[in-house]
Amino acid sequence: MQAPVLEKSTSVAGARRALAAAFRDAGLDAPEVDARILVGFALGLDHTGLVVAGDRSITAGEAEAIAALGQRRLARESIALIVGHKEFWGLRFQVGPATLVPRPDSETIVEAALRALDAQGLRHAPLRIADLGTGSGCLLLALLSELATARGIGTDISHPALEIARQNARALRLTGRALFVRGSFADMLGGDFDLIVSNPPYVTTQALADLAPEVQREPRQALDGGPDGLNAYRAIAADATRVLRPGGTLVLELGIGQAGPVAGLLSAAGLATEQPQMDLAGIPRTLVAFRQPMR
Ligand SMILES: C[S@@+](CC[C@H](N)C(=O)[O-])C[C@H]1O[C@@H](n2cnc3c(N)ncnc32)[C@H](O)[C@@H]1O
């Protein structure tokens, strides 16, 4: 599918309309929004700037730039990857081919973690946090942005993802409290963490082929949870009581239908689980568990 050929006399608003029509014909979910973002990105204009510049003619160079971005979107590259960033928890995160694009549903992990800490009166404590499979660093850095006295470690097996997480920490001025290290989930961590969060790979290997084309372009190791989707949960459950302090909290994102099996893995590992929390679509998305306090 070809992006529309834009004449240099086309107006900014006309370019938006032409791009949106091409996206609509290609069956994209949000053609107008995608066209607005990409034309704005090509011209360096925000939403208001686009409206103000609506009647101005685009230059030949601008027409080429818009067409090239449109072509990438028609090849099903996600908007976040094309523009290189995504908003999460009200913060801007750089993303790239090595990172998962942060999802709005994953904000439920941050919410659940803050709620659990508040219930224990720990919001202002000098907390130690671990984020297993940190990707862009979005979970750890969102938490540190809320918890001024906390410090944290994000782990990942992907070097390039860790580099992006470090850049995000720099951009958010959180480098002094965030460390990113390479390793498998909690393998290299010592004990006494107050909070572990993780959005691990949880798609079954078989279901990977059914994912939207944009998602299939994301790193396989960020998605593939093995034959039953539970490989990462098994690894995390095996280490959770060693890494958490007594009474410490574990918050995990869940795939559809995984609440029961994951709760089973955590209970077998000696953790006490709560009822799963729902995402915006009413799907059980987050599981909170605690290491039993010492008696
Ligand atoms: C679903 S993505 C989540 C990324 C990020 N936390 C987020 O919520 O957007 C899972 C991440 O786990 C990482 N990962 C996969 N296997 C891993 C392993 N054995 N140890 C550590 N990280 C792993 C992937 O590289 C990927 O960054």
Side-chain angles (χ1 to χ4, degrees):
M1 177 90 46
Q2 285 291 313
V5 177
L6 301 171
E7 304 299 332
K8 72 177 165 66
S9 55
T10 307
S11 67
V12 170
R16 268 176 73 175
R17 281 194 296 274
L19 208 57
F23 290 167
R24 202 176 308 113
D25 290 348
L28 298 189
D29 285 345
E32 281 80 16
V33 176
D34 289 2
R36 168 167 59 74
I37 294 171
L38 292 185
V39 173
F41 183 63
L43 304 184
L45 296 173
D46 63 13
H47 195 173
T48 314
L50 273 179
V51 174
V52 172
D55 292 335
R56 143 166 111 67
S57 296
I58 55 174
T59 65
E62 288 171 340
E64 253 178 55
I66 293 169
L69 294 174
Q71 201 54 59
R72 287 173 67 182
R73 184 68 191 107
L74 288 169
R76 296 309 201 84
E77 203 172 336
S78 69
I79 289 286
L81 270 192
I82 296 173
V83 302
H85 57 82
K86 174 81 182 176
E87 188 171 307
F88 180 83
W89 200 256
L91 306 170
R92 177 183 280 206
F93 286 88
Q94 184 187 331
V95 296
T99 62
L100 190 89
V101 174
R103 310 289 206 263
D105 284 342
S106 303
E107 292 186 352
T108 59
I109 302 184
V110 181
E111 281 167 8
L114 292 175
R115 207 176 303 126
L117 294 171
D118 281 343
Q120 299 168 77
L122 292 176
R123 193 175 271 247
H124 303 291
L127 299 166
R128 295 181 70 221
I129 302 173
D131 174 14
L132 311 180
T134 194
S136 63
C138 60
L139 297 177
L140 178 61
L141 296 171
L143 283 164
L144 293 181
S145 77
E146 298 285 342
L147 302 165
T149 49
R151 314 174 77 78
I153 298 184
T155 71
D156 208 291
I157 44 167
S158 163
H159 270 305
L162 289 165
E163 200 39 56
I164 288 196
R166 289 184 191 110
Q167 286 177 31
N168 283 324
R170 276 193 287 279
L172 295 169
R173 298 179 188 282
L174 290 167
T175 39
R177 295 191 286 127
L179 189 65
F180 293 98
V181 293
R182 184 165 185 278
S184 188
F185 297 119
D187 271 6
M188 79 305 289
L189 300 181
D192 258 356
F193 281 83
D194 301 282
L195 172 67
I196 300 175
V197 293
S198 183
N199 171 20
Y202 55 62
V203 181
T204 65
T205 307
Q206 203 190 358
L208 290 172
D210 302 328
L211 296 172
E214 288 83 349
V215 183
Q216 291 198 31
R217 296 176 71 117
E218 295 190 273
R220 187 183 170 109
Q221 66 196 14
L223 303 167
D224 189 353
D228 62 358
L230 300 175
N231 280 359
Y233 297 108
R234 284 192 192 91
I236 293 169
D239 274 335
T241 50
R242 177 181 64 77
V243 175
L244 282 174
R245 68 163 170 77
T249 306
L250 170 66
V251 186
L252 295 176
E253 178 161 325
L254 302 165
I256 292 173
Q258 291 177 330
V262 175
L265 288 171
L266 298 180
S267 301
L271 284 99
T273 57
E274 290 191 338
Q275 285 300 312
Q277 297 175 20
M278 310 292 166
D279 67 14
L280 298 171
I283 294 167
R285 185 59 69 188
T286 307
L287 195 61
V288 179
F290 299 93
R291 181 179 167 190
Q292 317 274 6
M294 299 282 205
R295 290 176 196 282

